[in-house]
Amino acid sequence: MHEFQGQAAVVAHAVEKSFGGRRGLPQVDVLRGVSFTVPTGSMVSIVGPSGCGKSTLLFCLAGLDPVTAGNVQLLGNDLSTLRPGALARLYRDRVGFVFQSYNLVSALNARENVVLPKRLAGHRVDLDHADAVLTGLGLADRTRTGVNRLSNGEQQRVALARVLANAPELVFADEPTGALDSAASRLVLGKLREHANSGRTVVMVTHDLDAATLADHVLVMRDGIVTHMLTGASSAQILKAMEGNAA
């Protein structure tokens, strides 16, 4: 197993994920025995060529897609043994997700989307805090704008604000800068870095090697396995690892 030093926020053990294999469909093995740990209070980037299994791995780690074989532990919880209610509480109280699809409610404005999770959970809503988080992501003039009137990049930042406003112990982010220009990307990556610096944990899939260098650790994937585990790596070192995989 690949291991980084420190108490584990996420543990993946021999994780496999396959699709198909039934009703005459060919089986496609997307993840092939992936094992590693993610230490608490760190930022980890997952990189690799398209189709290597990065996003599938992220979804399996987060428990949003069941593994075919192996085991995932999340904040000390074995996902295979958690009852639905306990899993829902774990997601509600301790884990945040930033998806490429944003998953915003189009009928609401930016601020209303940010506070929606707390409102649905019956918790007290702090609109000033929501506005402050949005402002920190460069959306001070968009707090009361309907999200259906925002650009893709602005919607992506609202989705991140919704997560960060709840200060979860663990954040999973799938290409969080994919729809952003360079200035907005720096803002978003800076906020994710701050989140990890505060003692929380961030696991991020990215195709941007410069973004990956902001992480404490980088996992390099190819063909459904983790081939390299780098600490404090430069973009040149990450690229070299990726090119070495291709050789």
Side-chain angles (χ1 to χ4, degrees), residues 10-95:
V10 182
V11 179
H13 178 70
V15 170
E16 299 179 13
K17 180 64 180 180
S18 301
F19 296 96
R22 297 180 180 179
R23 299 179 182 177
L25 296 175
Q27 178 172 304
V28 178
D29 299 323
V30 180
L31 300 177
R32 302 185 292 119
V34 176
S35 298
F36 61 89
T37 65
V38 174
T40 299
S42 68
M43 184 175 181
V44 173
S45 293
I46 303 173
V47 303
S50 297
C52 70
K54 300 187 299 293
S55 291
T56 298
L57 176 60
L58 191 79
F59 274 60
C60 286
L61 294 178
L64 301 177
D65 204 357
V67 301
T68 303
N71 175 267
V72 174
Q73 294 179 29
L74 207 60
L75 300 174
N77 297 274
D78 185 337
L79 293 182
S80 67
T81 63
L82 278 187
R83 295 178 179 240
L87 186 61
R89 287 191 295 273
L90 179 67
Y91 290 157
R92 182 191 67 198
D93 299 334
R94 305 178 68 189
V95 182

